[in-house]
Amino acid sequence: EQAGVHVVYGFPDLKIHAKMTLIVRREGGELRRYAHIGTGNYHAKTARLYEDLGIFTADEDIAADVADLFNYITGFGKPRAFRKLLVAPFTLRSGLVERIRDVANAAAKGKNARIRLKVNHLVDAAIVDELYKASQAGATIDVVARTTCALRPGVDGVSENIRVRSLVGRFLEHSRIWTFANGRRREYYIGSADLMPRNLDLRVEVVTPVTDPDLTGRLQEILDVMLADNLQAWELSEDGSWHRRQPVEGETRVATHKRLRELALRRGV
């Protein structure tokens, strides 16, 4: 503050867990906004240890949503609506439930229906129930949960279409990726929120859609590698026990962190 920085301490009863940056730049006599939304902390040490994702965009709707949220945090009014972002404690829970139900409805009609969720924690009872209903409707669901998971996969009549795995390796899995395939429509999201009551209802969290084909292809690639992993992956059984995945004879050996590093080096990124 002595150097001229406006420091805001937030709310006493609402933790700010979102990871976002807003840049306003004058370009040719006009102001243009850029936004960065990440899954991980802006922290030099954890950036070398955690696996995370971020998107830097000039999308006007996303930048406007970030600006509205910053105005809310700094005390300049409560947002009435968000254009593209899913934001807790306002629209995140309802938006997530809506997308799970859309996939369930697609499955009930015999359409392509798939959900992939990469999270740190999955313990919110209402979200677990929605995933069970989607599975019962015929949707295929894959969950990559780093730590806690209250959902039981593979239970007949309840969750036989759900698989859950966890990855343990060189880096701490920290990113959150959500994908929803609803017929021909496929949506991709990244953000700061885990599927816990505190994240959905008691924190400021931001989850953003990703629509650029190159970037959605990267997210799809990450998830494909994680679901093919047979060296770092642990799978959750119906009885709640975890079993390490082992490659069978003739199967290609896939270790997520090694494979993703190889892909990044091949791209030169």
Side-chain angles (χ1 to χ4, degrees), residues 16-224:
I16 298 173
H17 193 248
K19 296 87 170 66
M20 58 185 185
T21 300
L22 180 67
I23 300 170
V24 182
R25 185 169 182 260
R26 186 175 299 279
E27 298 181 359
E30 296 182 351
L31 293 178
R32 192 174 188 189
R33 293 185 291 201
Y34 298 86
H36 178 271
I37 296 172
T39 67
N41 302 324
Y42 295 131
H43 192 289
K45 288 186 178 180
T46 59
R48 300 178 67 86
L49 301 172
Y50 290 14
E51 169 274 337
D52 273 302
L53 295 167
I55 183 170
F56 189 63
T57 178
D59 182 289
E60 294 181 0
D61 287 338
I62 292 177
D65 281 348
V66 172
D68 287 348
L69 189 53
F70 269 120
N71 285 335
Y72 169 65
I73 292 170
T74 53
F76 290 98
K78 183 177 180 180
R80 289 180 293 178
F82 291 98
R83 302 155 187 83
K84 290 185 177 180
L85 297 183
L86 299 178
V87 181
F90 304 108
T91 61
L92 181 54
R93 178 181 288 278
S94 60
L96 176 57
V97 169
E98 179 183 348
R99 282 152 184 80
I100 294 173
R101 290 178 178 177
D102 285 345
V103 174
N105 290 334
K109 295 176 182 177
K111 298 180 180 179
N112 177 44
R114 184 167 191 174
I115 298 172
R116 289 178 167 182
L117 301 173
K118 180 181 182 298
V119 294
N120 292 311
H121 305 275
L122 171 53
V123 298
D124 185 86
I127 298 302
V128 169
D129 285 343
E130 292 292 338
L131 294 172
Y132 284 156
K133 292 175 184 177
S135 171
Q136 293 160 25
T140 300
I141 301 170
D142 287 292
V143 177
V144 181
R146 189 195 80 207
T147 307
T148 53
C149 181
L151 182 152
R152 290 289 183 91
V155 179
D156 290 340
V158 178
S159 58
E160 63 265 41
N161 294 318
I162 304 178
R163 295 184 302 168
V164 177
R165 59 172 41 201
S166 183
L167 298 172
V168 181
R170 175 176 177 180
F171 302 105
L172 181 78
E173 291 294 330
H174 194 251
S175 67
R176 293 86 169 177
I177 308 172
W178 306 346
T179 72
F180 306 92
N182 171 8
R184 295 184 178 180
R185 183 180 180 185
R186 183 168 291 181
E187 295 179 280
Y188 295 80
Y189 293 85
I190 65 170
S192 59
D194 279 310
L195 302 184
M196 309 176 73
R198 71 183 188 189
N199 297 83
L200 299 175
D201 303 319
L202 302 173
R203 290 183 174 183
V204 176
E205 303 274 14
V206 170
V207 174
T208 182
V210 179
T211 57
D212 180 272
D214 289 337
L215 300 184
T216 58
R218 294 276 285 275
L219 293 177
Q220 189 68 43
E221 179 181 69
I222 291 170
L223 292 172
D224 286 344

